[in-house]
Each structure stands twice: as structure tokens, then as C-alpha cells.
């Protein structure tokens, strides 16, 4: 079992159980891009030892024919009670066998793991459905077109349906603001509504700005944003080799 710091109770730990080294590595990198802290275990004993120290937010378990008895045994273990399982499998027969023998999981996903499907599953099972689409950190210069000369800001978080725009002059709640920013060589022009705002005086850990939802955006621009986000996630997976995967 990989070592990890168990002192920070605010961290969201994920326990990955997968006998396939390449699949385990890929899932680990993907979950780290989503902001989770990863622990991998090779045996039930290693998994139980970790569970005795820290309760993970969820368990990702890959199911092959040889894995089912171990998974059933783990789910009966009191250490694993109330911890959601996300089951990964490449076989309908194995899934049917798992269910027919009384196995249960919060979600079932097919291998190879789809980036968007996994993200939405986590949001639904773990994050209470908070976000439907992947959100990534960025640093894109943006213009607020209601005051183009002085209305500069930065898109610091970007999703397919909204942004957090850092600005020293957040607009009023529910204001509809035209915004433009360049992405992948194309100028994006859209209209967004202010859902919430933060001010500089609220504290050093608060970024001044506003969370905004897209109200008017062309299908071409929305597809470009989606492509940019998926490329960002995949690029991070190929570039980084985290020690605990």
C-alpha cells in the first residue's frame, strides 16, 4: 500500500483496487486531476489497514472474475460500511454475477473509463450533484464588454456551462454581462449571468470576482470550450507521473 499523509481530515481520499497496473495507473492520474488524494492497495489486508486510519470518500474497485470473492468479503467488513463503491468492469457477465450474488455499488462504470462519465458519477455519488460538467483552473484574460475599456478580468475557472471570473469590480447579482476571451486561437463571445460574487475585503483566501453561468453561447464556442477542457485533463494525465499511482 502506498504511504500517504493521514493528518489532513479535509482531504478527500480515494482507495483504488485494480489488479491491472495500467488501468489502475490511468484511473489514479484521472482522479488526481479531479483533485482527489489517491491510495492504492494490492490486497484486502492493505485496504483494511488504510481504512482503519482514514475513511476514504469512496472506493474504486475493478471487478474481474477472480476479484469478486474479495469484493464481497470487503463489503461485509465493518471498516467498509457506509463507504460508497464505484465498480469498474469490462464484462456484462461479471456485472450480472456481482449483482446476482448480492453485491452492491453506488455506481457501475465500464472499462476503459470515460473521463466525463467518471466526473459526473463522482459529482452525483460523492459531491451531491454539485456540478454536471468538468471544471478546470485556467488563466485567460477576459474583457467584460459592458465596460470594455476598464472591464478586464481573468477566467480562473472554466467549465462547459460557466466561469469564475476574477475582477476587482464584480457586477451585481443576476446581471447579464457580455464577455469575450481568446481560446485556442478563437475569440469567444458570450453572455453570462452573475450567480454569486466575492469582494476583496472578504479575506485573503477569497478571490474577488463572480461566478457566472453562460446564458447565450454559440454551439461552436461551447464545443470548443469542451474540447479545451478535455485536452487539459488528458494533457495533465500524460505529462505527470505522480509517485503514488
Amino acid at each position: 500500500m502506498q504511504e500517504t499523509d493521514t493528518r489532513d481530515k479535509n482531504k478527500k481520499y480515494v482507495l483504488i483496487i485494480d489488479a491491472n497496473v495500467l488501468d489502475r495507473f490511468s484511473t489514479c492520474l484521472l482522479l488526481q486531476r479531479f483533485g482527489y488524494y489517491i491510495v492504492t492497495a494490492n490486497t484486502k489486508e492493505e485496504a483494511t489497514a488504510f481504512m482503519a486510519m482514514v475513511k476514504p470518500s469512496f472506493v474504486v474497485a475493478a471487478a474481474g472474475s477472480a476479484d469478486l470473492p474479495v469484493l464481497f468479503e470487503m463489503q461485509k467488513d465493518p471498516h467498509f460500511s457506509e463507504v460508497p463503491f464505484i465498480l469498474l468492469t469490462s464484462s456484462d457477465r461479471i456485472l450480472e454475477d456481482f449483482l446476482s450474488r448480492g453485491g452492491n455499488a453506488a455506481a457501475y462504470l465500464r472499462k476503459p473509463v470515460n473521463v466525463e462519465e467518471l466526473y459526473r458519477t463522482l459529482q452525483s455519488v460523492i459531491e451531491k450533484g454539485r456540478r454536471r460538467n468538468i471544471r478546470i483552473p485556467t488563466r485567460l484574460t477576459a474583457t467584460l464588454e459592458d465596460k470594455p475599456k476598464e472591464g478586464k478580468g481573468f477566467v480562473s475557472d472554466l467549465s462547459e456551462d460557466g466561469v469564475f471570473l476574477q475582477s476587482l469590480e464584480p457586477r451585481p447579482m443576476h446581471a447579464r454581462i457580455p464577455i469575450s476571451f481568446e481560446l485556442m486561437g478563437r475569440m469567444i463571445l458570450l453572455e453570462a449571468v452573475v450567480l454569486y460574487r466575492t469582494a476583496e475585503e472578504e479575506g485573503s483566501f477569497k478571490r474577488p470576482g463572480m461566478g457566472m453561468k453562460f446564458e447565450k453561447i454559440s454551439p461552436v464556442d461551447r464545443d470548443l470550450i469542451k474540447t479545451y477542457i478535455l485536452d487539459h485533463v488528458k494533457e495533465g494525465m500524460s505529462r505527470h507521473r505522480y509517485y503514488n499511482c
Side-chain angles (χ1 to χ4, degrees):
M1 182 175 66
Q2 299 289 345
E3 293 184 0
T4 188
D5 179 5
T6 60
R7 293 173 297 176
D8 188 345
K9 301 304 182 183
N10 294 319
K11 290 182 178 180
K12 289 189 175 180
Y13 290 98
V14 179
L15 179 60
I16 297 178
I17 306 168
D18 192 336
N20 186 304
V21 176
L22 292 178
D23 287 351
R24 184 174 69 241
F25 183 75
S26 176
T27 304
C28 177
L29 289 178
L30 186 55
L31 290 171
Q32 286 185 325
R33 294 296 286 174
F34 293 158
Y36 296 101
Y37 294 82
I38 310 303
V39 176
T40 60
N42 296 320
T43 66
K44 173 183 177 292
E45 288 71 26
E46 287 184 349
T48 303
F50 172 74
M51 296 283 286
M53 296 184 294
V54 176
K55 181 179 178 181
S57 296
F58 59 97
V59 174
V60 176
S65 297
D67 304 312
L68 292 182
V70 176
L71 292 181
F72 291 134
E73 188 177 345
M74 288 175 64
Q75 291 196 325
K76 295 177 182 178
D77 192 307
H79 286 103
F80 289 88
S81 62
E82 300 180 0
V83 177
F85 269 66
I86 295 177
L87 189 72
L88 307 181
T89 182
S90 57
S91 167
D92 289 336
R93 180 185 58 78
I94 292 175
L95 176 57
E96 291 171 1
D97 189 17
F98 179 78
L99 295 174
S100 67
R101 294 166 61 181
N104 65 84
Y108 306 93
L109 298 178
R110 293 298 300 266
K111 283 187 171 185
V113 177
N114 177 276
V115 174
E116 293 179 279
E117 186 178 15
L118 177 60
Y119 183 84
R120 289 171 182 169
T121 297
L122 298 179
Q123 291 294 307
S124 174
V125 174
I126 310 302
E127 307 293 351
K128 310 303 182 185
R130 190 170 52 185
R131 298 191 184 101
R132 171 176 168 79
N133 296 310
I134 299 172
R135 184 176 183 177
I136 62 169
T138 62
R139 185 68 174 177
L140 303 171
T141 301
T143 300
L144 283 71
E145 299 291 346
D146 59 335
K147 297 180 181 178
K149 290 186 177 180
E150 65 268 22
K152 296 292 183 180
F154 294 97
V155 175
S156 59
D157 292 285
L158 177 66
S159 79
E160 191 180 327
D161 57 3
V163 297
F164 183 85
L165 196 145
Q166 288 185 243
S167 172
L168 295 176
E169 297 182 2
R171 303 305 193 256
M173 290 286 292
H174 310 303
R176 298 170 68 98
I177 311 296
I179 301 171
S180 64
F181 56 90
E182 186 175 343
L183 191 69
M184 300 175 70
R186 175 184 172 88
M187 186 58 67
I188 305 291
L189 180 60
L190 55 86
E191 186 174 289
V193 61
V194 179
L195 298 182
Y196 65 90
R197 43 180 283 162
T198 59
E200 192 171 22
E201 60 270 15
E202 290 182 25
S204 59
F205 296 103
K206 290 282 189 178
R207 297 170 298 174
M210 47 199 165
M212 310 182 75
K213 179 182 178 181
F214 299 153
E215 288 290 306
K216 290 184 179 180
I217 180 172
S218 73
V220 172
D221 287 346
R222 190 183 292 277
D223 286 344
L224 186 66
I225 291 173
K226 179 177 180 179
T227 298
Y228 175 80
I229 290 171
L230 292 177
D231 286 350
H232 172 87
V233 173
K234 293 173 183 176
E235 179 184 3
M237 290 173 63
S238 63
R239 180 182 299 173
H240 294 85
R241 294 294 182 264
Y242 295 94
Y243 78 95
N244 59 344
C245 285

